[in-house]
Amino acid sequence: MVSNPYLPKLAKIESIKDEAPETKTFKIKILDEKIRDSFNFSPGQFIELTVFGYGEAPFSITSSPMVHENFSITVRKMGNVTKGLFRLREGDFVGVRGPFGRGWPLEKMKENDVLVIAGGIGLAPLKPLIEYIILHRKMYNNVKLFYGAKTPKDIIYKDMFDEWRKYIDVELTVDFAEKDWSGHSGPVTVLFKNFQPSSDNIYSVQCGPPIMMHFVTRQLSSIGLPPEKIYFSLERNMKCGMGFCGKCMTGGRYVCKEGPVFNYSEVKNFLETPV
Amino acid sequence: MDKIRVGIFNLSSCEGCLVQILNLEDILLNILKTFEVECRVLGTIGKSEPYDIAFVEGSVMSIEDEMELKKIRGASRILVALGECACHGGNFLVKDFDVDEINEMFPGSQKWYSHPIERYVRVDYRIPGCPIDKEEFFTVFKSLLLEKFPEQASFTVCSECILKENSCLIEKGVACMGPITRGGCKAICPTFNRECYGCRGLNDDANIDGLLHTFKEKGISIQPYMLPSKKGEVKRS
Amino acid sequence: MERFLTIDKGLMDNFLERVMEYYQLIAPVRTEKGVLFEYISGKEEVDLTYSGHTILPPKKFFFPPVEEMFVYEYEDSGNIRLYDLLDEVSKGKRVIVGVKPCDINGLLVLDKVFTGEYNDPYYAARRKNTLVIGLTCNRPMEYCFCAYLNTGPFIKRGFDILLSDLGDKYIVEVGSEDGWKLIKFNLDLFSEARRDDVEEREKLLMKVEEDIRSKGLPYFETIEGALREKFLDEMWDEYGKKCLACGKCNFTCPTCRCFTITDEPNPDLKSGKRVRTWDSCHFLSFTRVASGEVFRRDRPSRFKQRIYHKFVYSINEIGSISCVGCGRCVEVCPAKINIMDVIKEVTFGVKPLSAKIGED
């Protein structure tokens, strides 16, 4: 019997954590032990999550790639699948397919500076990368996170930053500052104000709303990063994850299979402009 | 579990959509059993108020309609516009005589109008069609029970028509609105050789000018009530 | 395997009757709508005289417009069970007869798309349990242009048996071991082909090829490069104004295979099924994500997606253009947009850059 790649593996929600308004992190455990043990992913990859009766949608894996017992996704309530997911409680069933796609260029970035730029919930696919870098800290040079959110309330993984700051630089900004906010305010590009890459050996990785990626990419190019060192994760309507359904195709490339991580030099060759 | 309270109301209409709901008798009984849905078809607001879901059929043709509609809205969590009249003002209720024509033919003290309900109240969801498709109604109903947002079909009548391998009416010189009309009716009219007159409203990004151009090129004339632009933008008053 | 036989037309019915004893038969049927592929209950329904093509291509029997993939069910204990409907698909054996070369090539394109790093098991199961009996054309229709793409009227592979109408008999080419088996057990109905039968078939197909080529189409060798050059050309705005975005071209295309996946709960809301449905890149909702963002919002960009996927992206994806020249999209288009006109306009004055078309 051939295994059917459309059939989700049954899994249970182990825990649910509030991150921000309408945003939660779900820790998910695949029931079958064998499948669970063979569930390996690379930071930046995604899964297709089923909420039975509501459908299936793609979510980036946000937990550390070193953990095999379970994995996490961070979800903002948006469409029907996330609405259904938000109705579920700990112990409820979901379905999982994947992991799918191509993640961040871990190998290429070694021995280089890494600039991580995230907007809003776009930090989700970058969290496993940051955790991977921290675990292999000696292999990477200067590592910096620029993170922007709409308001201080919308910042996700609030409890992680202190831990991360022990290993990497973290700078935050919010579009709309509130009274008790003492940090930067404005779009994430304000964090570039005093930033100059210390050497040519620098990679940047980013994920956020298309408009953010557009301006950040312009900024990065203007400070001299070559296109092949600017990476981003694209969001598309990825229904099957295997390059069959055609919905995520952008400029002839399947974002689900060949992405979702692309570098700017690849994207420049797309006929359609995705960022 | 609390009973889910559903009210079904009708303003000015032929009640054809209500008949479509009744046509679901077997499934409805099933749902009533499993979910204790209280379903009241009434002209006035009954004892089940407030409603979790109100389905409103018909268009607003009088001040009484308007007052009742506002009362229903005030008493309901979710309000669904049911059928062409409620969704677009019943162009087809009066299809043989355009409302303006009626006013010309019967000059009197009263001025006739037929308005979509969205002109007066906020509408959470629309089930288009004249009459509604009973299966689509049921799909929406199930979605609402699951607190899903019932996604509107965003394909065309044409695309459903070709799945039935029907021969094209436009090709035969008939003014069929299939290419720009929102699907979901399984192309029932063209399947029975009746042109689509667009009762389900325009599909997303409908190319009205393109279709009119096509008609012109083929020498096909079109009845004024079918002109999509006449359905106009819905504005709340 | 090059093996030729002949069968008298009068005996074809007997052959099909015998096939129907062991297989479900799918064949062209003439209806008041036109010629359609349908499941056959009696041999008299079969019409092997049709010219051109059926309304929908045979892909509907391999990749149905609505496919139920699996059933989920919450048990009273709270556990959930899945029932894979692939098992149902794998059952039974079918023969599809009367498939034209363009449509056979359409299936060959789908074969490449649905296999690779991942395999689509629903498509594969149906392909595996279905024998293909091809039928060559004696007369091209107005919009046929297979000859320009090497997808017809001659065909070398993709069939188990290939029939050609020689008037009072069919010449039969055996294309596979399975096809030979089908004939071997009914050998009493067939005779060895004579050399002039084979030559007559050659002549017949040559004539069809000439007829198609007399339409004077541009060569497809230049299309990829020309399209790459003209991605931002104003011509697309004009097509965007004309295109009604109805999706008929996608659904009638033998190689279009985009789909969407949804869950359909049963009335009890505790069980339901996952369904995949044909989708069209011309619909606004095609690229919509949960946040409401649509990545191909304007009509010219969606019009281009179909053209570019067929003639540009496909070359990278499966190694060839994925248009087979059947002409269905031209015929069904309410706005009468002719893909051949598009190609003529695009390639006008452009020199060849690449040449990868049709079969390898």
Side-chain angles (χ1 to χ4, degrees), chain B residues 142 154 156 164-165 205 207, chain C residues 60 241 243 246 265 285 302:
Chain B
K142 282 187 292 187
S154 75
T156 57
K164 295 203 165 175
E165 305 192 60
D205 193 31
N207 186 353
Chain C
K60 67 174 180 175
K241 273 184 207 155
C243 173
C246 70
S285 58
R302 301 202 299 276

Side-chain angles (χ1 to χ4, degrees), chain B residues 27 31 35 142 146 154-156 158-159 162-166 168 171 179 204-205 207 210-211 214 218, chain C residues 33 36 55-56 60 240-241 243-244 246 248 251-252 265 267-269 278 283 285 288 299 302 334 336:
Chain B
I27 320 174
I31 271 276
F35 287 89
K142 282 187 292 187
L146 287 168
S154 75
F155 43 82
T156 57
C158 257
S159 70
I162 194 69
L163 288 186
K164 295 203 165 175
E165 305 192 60
N166 294 328
C168 182
E171 203 60 6
D204 301 335
D205 193 31
N207 186 353
L211 184 63
T214 297
K218 291 185 199 279
Chain C
K33 299 171 178 179
L36 327 172
I55 297 179
L56 286 181
K60 67 174 180 175
K241 273 184 207 155
C243 173
L244 305 176
C246 70
K248 280 170 92 177
F251 288 3
T252 54
D268 64 8
L269 302 183
W278 286 2
F283 300 154
S285 58
R288 191 182 283 150
R299 216 174 303 116
R302 301 202 299 276
K336 280 280 162 280

Side-chain angles (χ1 to χ4, degrees), chain A residues 19-75:
Chain A
E19 294 287 356
E22 306 273 282
T23 310
K24 293 175 200 274
T25 294
F26 294 80
K27 195 180 272 182
I28 292 162
K29 182 173 189 154
I30 295 173
L31 295 186
D32 188 295
E33 204 185 317
K34 262 191 203 152
I35 298 169
R36 189 165 66 226
D37 290 344
S38 62
F39 186 88
N40 288 313
F41 72 93
S42 176
Q45 282 193 303
F46 68 96
I47 54 134
E48 290 280 349
L49 184 88
T50 292
V51 180
F52 294 101
Y54 294 80
E56 205 177 35
F59 297 99
S60 300
I61 308 172
T62 62
S63 48
S64 162
M66 303 304 162
V67 179
H68 288 270
E69 259 311 279
N70 49 45
F71 68 89
S72 300
I73 54 174
T74 300
V75 178

Side-chain angles (χ1 to χ4, degrees), chain A residues 4 6 244 249 254 272, chain C residues 120 122 257 288 296 317:
Chain A
N4 181 350
Y6 289 103
F244 294 145
M249 190 188 242
Y254 291 104
E272 289 171 289
Chain C
D120 189 286
Y122 300 92
R257 56 75 191 2
R288 191 182 283 150
R296 252 176 246 117
E317 188 182 355

Side-chain angles (χ1 to χ4, degrees), chain C residues 23-81:
Chain C
Y23 297 87
Q24 254 188 310
L25 184 67
I26 303 164
V29 175
R30 198 171 291 273
T31 71
E32 53 186 23
K33 299 171 178 179
V35 181
L36 327 172
F37 274 112
E38 279 180 359
Y39 281 112
I40 300 297
S41 47
K43 61 177 192 316
E44 63 286 346
E45 296 165 23
V46 180
D47 186 338
L48 294 178
T49 64
Y50 79 108
S51 292
H53 50 72
T54 52
I55 297 179
L56 286 181
K59 79 169 173 187
K60 67 174 180 175
F61 287 100
F62 299 92
F63 169 53
V66 179
E67 173 130 61
E68 298 181 354
M69 305 174 93
F70 63 83
V71 171
Y72 67 88
E73 196 180 299
Y74 281 99
E75 293 172 334
D76 291 336
S77 62
N79 278 342
I80 200 161
R81 283 190 82 86

Side-chain angles (χ1 to χ4, degrees), chain C residues 219-290:
Chain C
Y219 289 95
F220 282 83
E221 278 83 346
T222 59
I223 186 83
E224 186 203 352
L227 280 168
R228 281 190 181 280
E229 241 171 66
K230 293 194 175 165
F231 192 79
L232 299 174
D233 201 283
E234 280 168 10
M235 65 177 278
W236 303 114
D237 296 339
E238 287 309 304
Y239 284 108
K241 273 184 207 155
K242 255 183 117 178
C243 173
L244 305 176
C246 70
K248 280 170 92 177
C249 50
N250 296 113
F251 288 3
T252 54
C253 177
T255 72
C256 270
R257 56 75 191 2
C258 289
F259 57 83
T260 190
I261 303 178
T262 47
D263 277 13
E264 282 180 10
N266 290 334
D268 64 8
L269 302 183
K270 286 174 183 157
S271 61
K273 44 188 185 270
R274 174 149 304 163
V275 181
R276 78 163 162 197
T277 324
W278 286 2
D279 205 341
S280 155
C281 52
H282 284 96
F283 300 154
L284 191 77
S285 58
F286 186 73
T287 57
R288 191 182 283 150
V289 290

